[in-house]
Amino acid sequence: MAKSIIQKHTDKLSRECFLCREEADKQGYFGELKHTGLHKHHFIYGRLGCFRKKAEHFGLWGYVCQERHHEYGPEAPHNNKEVDLHLKQVAQRAFEAKYSHEEWMAEFGKNYLEDEDGKEEDI
């Protein structure tokens, strides 16, 4: 298991829901959040598990809370296309900051970030 390049604190005592933390930061709350009931979520998945394995290899994962942000809630990436796209964009930005856009396209073949025309770019 590669260390997450998206979420800094992933040890049992300091991990928290990635999406709850984003929400809290926007509201100006920088204190502690719940750190139990979290599931590991691969921000990139699909293609018969191939991308999930690549996400694991490159550290494109983070923790999300089960009740709101993993599988069941209306804000869960498995149920909400906007949240799913947001997490894929977060993953792409993190990957490209460490590697490059060209390597992203070679590994995943889809650009989740908009180009200048506001369109998504595919290969």
Side-chain angles (χ1 to χ4, degrees):
M1 171 172 84
K3 186 175 179 180
S4 176
I5 65 169
I6 294 170
Q7 196 169 23
K8 292 178 186 171
H9 304 290
T10 56
D11 60 271
K12 278 193 174 202
L13 296 176
S14 63
R15 69 175 86 159
E16 58 191 13
C17 175
F18 179 82
L19 292 167
C20 286
R21 172 48 58 201
E22 278 190 332
E23 195 174 292
D25 287 350
K26 286 178 190 173
Q27 295 174 1
Y29 176 74
F30 302 103
E32 211 172 291
L33 295 174
K34 181 179 164 188
H35 60 272
T36 59
L38 302 175
H39 287 186
K40 184 177 183 179
H41 177 69
H42 295 84
F43 288 22
I44 304 294
Y45 54 89
R47 298 249 177 122
L48 302 173
C50 174
F51 286 170
R52 187 172 191 263
K53 288 177 185 175
K54 286 183 180 190
E56 183 72 33
H57 173 76
F58 289 110
L60 302 176
W61 59 270
Y63 287 103
V64 293
C65 59
Q66 177 184 3
E67 65 273 2
R68 258 183 88 195
H69 290 125
H70 195 230
E71 297 169 347
Y72 306 110
E75 299 170 17
H78 294 288
N79 297 328
N80 186 315
K81 288 183 181 189
E82 289 175 15
V83 173
D84 186 46
L85 175 60
H86 169 67
L87 293 179
K88 287 176 175 162
Q89 290 170 335
V90 166
Q92 183 174 345
R93 285 186 190 102
F95 182 97
E96 290 183 2
K98 186 169 182 173
Y99 303 102
S100 71
H101 177 71
E102 291 74 21
E103 288 180 77
W104 171 268
M105 294 303 289
E107 291 293 339
F108 297 100
K110 182 169 177 72
N111 183 4
Y112 295 102
L113 306 175
E114 293 182 353
D115 65 10
E116 290 79 40
D117 299 328
K119 298 177 193 166
E120 287 186 11
E121 174 184 316
D122 285 326
I123 63 166

